[in-house]
Amino acid sequence: MSNRGLRGWLAADTRLPMFSVIGSGVLISLLIWQFWLRPLQHTAQQLDRQRQAQASRYLQRLEALRRLPALSALEQQRTELSERIVAEEGPHFSLPALLAASGGEFEHWQPAENGGELTIRLGWQQFVDLLGYLMTLRPAVTIPALTLQGQSPRLHLLIQLHYEM
């Protein structure tokens, strides 16, 4: 603006400068609203909706966690299942356990792949106990060959065993 135009504007009726200052203020306010406050308000509303959605999801997950059993109960269930699996599987073959179950006199053991040949002296009841022990094993033990010789009360047993590891 030139000096002459500025003097004319200042010399004009007081309403013109007043309306132009007010109009400029309103125009600046509208521009600020349109390009700064309105996007800011829109972003704030969007963030508020996201916060509400997250709070809702959090409450749903918290409720799902509350419905789960306690950790100690889960550990107890795991222990019981492990014990049940071991009970269903049964014990695996063990030469010391076989000798303890039968109570016979150990003579000879010739190990082989997945089995072996056992020679043992025992009585009839001990022979029955030995067979009972073999029946409890899981996986099952197969007996490809069995030779029982001698007179009661002491028998000589030669047995071949085959088992899976």
Side-chain angles (χ1 to χ4, degrees), residues 99-154:
L99 294 172
S102 70
E105 272 179 50
F106 173 75
E107 289 186 356
H108 175 72
W109 170 248
Q110 179 62 45
E113 187 176 331
N114 293 335
E117 186 176 273
L118 173 67
T119 306
I120 189 170
R121 289 209 175 268
L122 40 67
W124 278 111
Q125 184 57 46
Q126 292 171 325
F127 177 67
V128 171
D129 293 341
L130 181 134
L131 293 178
Y133 168 77
L134 292 175
M135 288 175 38
T136 65
L137 299 178
R138 297 288 183 268
V141 173
T142 57
I143 303 173
L146 178 130
T147 306
L148 186 61
Q149 298 175 339
Q151 302 273 332
S152 190
R154 294 315 251 173

Side-chain angles (χ1 to χ4, degrees), residues 93 109-117 160-164:
F93 176 79
W109 170 248
Q110 179 62 45
E113 187 176 331
N114 293 335
E117 186 176 273
Q160 288 181 355
L161 303 170
H162 180 75
Y163 51 88
E164 297 295 323

Side-chain angles (χ1 to χ4, degrees), residues 44-58:
Q45 290 172 347
Q46 206 173 24
L47 288 173
D48 191 46
R49 284 191 299 270
Q50 286 177 354
R51 183 195 56 79
Q52 288 174 353
Q54 284 178 339
S56 175
R57 282 193 305 271
Y58 172 76

Side-chain angles (χ1 to χ4, degrees), residues 28-47 49:
I28 290 173
S29 297
L30 285 174
L31 290 174
I32 288 174
W33 167 254
Q34 181 64 30
F35 295 107
W36 186 53
L37 292 177
R38 189 169 174 211
L40 194 61
Q41 183 184 27
H42 180 68
T43 303
Q45 290 172 347
Q46 206 173 24
L47 288 173
R49 284 191 299 270

